[in-house]
Amino acid sequence: MEKTLVILKPCTVQRGLMGEIINRFERKGLRLAGMKMVWLSDETLSEHYAHLKEKSFFQRVKDAMRTCPVVICCWEGLEAIRVVREMAGKTNGRNAAPGTIRGDYSMSVQENIVHASDSPETAEIELKRFFDESEIYDYPLNNLWSFYANDEI
Ligand code: TYD
């Protein structure tokens, strides 16, 4: 099973959408392996958004991410990284397809509800960045047969 990182951004916290977004991942059939609220630092965000450091909006995006605490989640499932990324939708909420999280809840490129890891390599690095090993729980789902066929898992 794959694990992936999701951050519920400050806009999601402020708009009272945390429960709704978490509910989407639960309903999809992903297992919540870890979750916490964190007030991120500029230093951590510089690392997290290092791929954007040459962009004009780098500082703006980092500042927006530390206007209030965020909720950091680790979701697990078969091909969870791709599945969650597709559930998030295109970066710009105005271009994201209806039915995706950003497509349903966002009108903005920056205030776009969630961050989701974009590849297995990124997911591994990001999970280590935001979680201690002891904060990720490997409890079994007692009814896994309701989520997957025997030969899928
Ligand atoms: P990026 O990693 O390109 O997108 P994604 O979150 O879909 O993986 O960008 C990170 C965040 O930076 C993005 O969620 C919102 C913000 N951003 C802007 O504000 N303006 C932009 O033009 C882009 C590309 C991103």
Side-chain angles (χ1 to χ4, degrees):
M1 293 270 178
E2 272 181 4
K3 289 189 176 69
T4 191
L5 183 99
V6 169
I7 303 178
L8 307 183
K9 296 187 176 189
C11 55
T12 308
V13 175
Q14 294 289 344
R15 289 172 60 189
L17 292 173
M18 291 173 282
E20 255 180 82
I21 303 304
I22 289 166
N23 188 237
R24 286 201 166 211
F25 294 121
E26 283 187 303
R27 282 192 326 206
K28 177 66 175 167
L30 293 149
R31 184 182 74 86
L32 186 62
M35 181 163 74
K36 61 182 177 181
M37 198 169 214
V38 181
W39 204 319
L40 296 172
S41 66
D42 187 68
E43 195 186 356
T44 301
L45 286 162
S46 294
E47 229 181 73
H48 182 62
Y49 286 129
H51 62 292
L52 300 175
K53 67 174 181 292
E54 306 305 334
K55 303 283 188 192
S56 58
F57 53 83
F58 181 53
Q59 193 61 45
R60 154 166 77 63
V61 167
K62 289 194 298 168
D63 289 347
M65 286 294 282
R66 45 195 288 267
T67 52
C68 76
V70 296
V71 175
I72 305 195
C73 312
C74 172
W75 292 99
E76 184 191 71
L78 266 191
E79 300 175 50
I81 298 161
R82 180 185 57 77
V83 168
V84 167
R85 207 43 208 177
E86 286 180 8
M87 287 176 73
K90 285 188 183 162
T91 304
N92 187 332
R94 292 190 300 281
N95 299 332
T100 64
I101 291 169
R102 288 162 169 173
D104 286 353
Y105 294 96
S106 168
M107 282 293 284
S108 166
V109 65
Q110 174 180 278
E111 306 303 332
N112 60 1
I113 310 295
V114 289
H115 165 82
S117 303
D118 65 4
S119 70
E121 298 71 35
T122 316
E124 195 182 339
I125 293 166
E126 292 182 343
L127 285 167
K128 285 205 177 100
R129 175 175 300 135
F130 292 105
F131 283 107
D132 289 335
E133 244 173 67
S134 63
E135 294 172 320
I136 301 291
Y137 297 97
D138 276 327
Y139 63 93
L141 287 182
N142 298 326
N143 54 347
L144 206 57
W145 54 268
S146 312
F147 293 90
Y148 299 105
N150 288 342
D151 60 2
E152 284 181 304
I153 48 174

